Amino acid sequence: MTGLLLIYPSCLLHIIESSRDVLVSVLKDLTDMQQQPDGAFLEAPKVVLMAHNPQSRLFQQWSYKVLEADQMAGDSKRFEEEEESTEILVCCVLSALQKLSEHLEVSKAVPGSVLDESPELIVSQTVLNKLLTRDELQTPQQHLQMYNSPLNIIMNAGQLIRSLATL
């Protein structure tokens, strides 16, 4: 398992790179923790992206970084007034993670020191906070429900489409 945990003043961003079984297990644990009486610290987790067959890992080890409020100076300038679509916000997060990963690959440093030296590589807390309010992103429980639901495939749909096309 590799990944990165970024701890912001108002939220967390946890990137987990592992097998599908481990990812599903983490989502089950999150769901269970939310249902516990003391699970209030996980206010509203959201699943931004689950890729089951990535070409390569972004991070070669698991690490974390606690970010201070002063490290994010200027963080909200671009996103304060603009109302961005969920797709654009997700792309901003993924793009920032890709840039951070590329920088780590070149410098061979740990994420904490790279983020201290290059704060422009920090994923925007403003974007993350906006994503947490979006209904389009699933909660861990919603994701697991969809994951465990059978596919409803209509077996004769292809025949119907072919017969309509020949009319």
Side-chain angles (χ1 to χ4, degrees), residues 29-77:
D29 288 347
L30 272 172
T31 300
D32 292 345
M33 286 172 35
Q34 278 189 285
Q35 294 171 353
Q36 298 298 320
D38 60 346
F41 75 94
L42 292 173
E43 192 173 308
K46 298 284 186 168
V47 177
V48 175
L49 174 73
M50 288 229 2
H52 295 291
N53 193 14
Q55 297 297 319
S56 64
R57 293 179 182 250
L58 291 176
F59 305 99
Q60 300 309 308
Q61 61 188 12
W62 188 89
S63 58
Y64 74 96
K65 173 70 175 154
V66 177
L67 300 166
E68 304 295 329
D70 62 345
Q71 285 182 291
M72 292 166 278
D75 173 56
S76 60
K77 287 179 186 174

Side-chain angles (χ1 to χ4, degrees), residues 117-134:
E117 295 167 9
S118 305
E120 69 277 4
L121 295 172
I122 296 173
V123 177
S124 169
Q125 177 179 244
T126 304
V127 171
L128 296 175
N129 286 332
K130 283 187 173 203
L131 280 173
L132 286 171
T133 66
R134 302 300 170 99

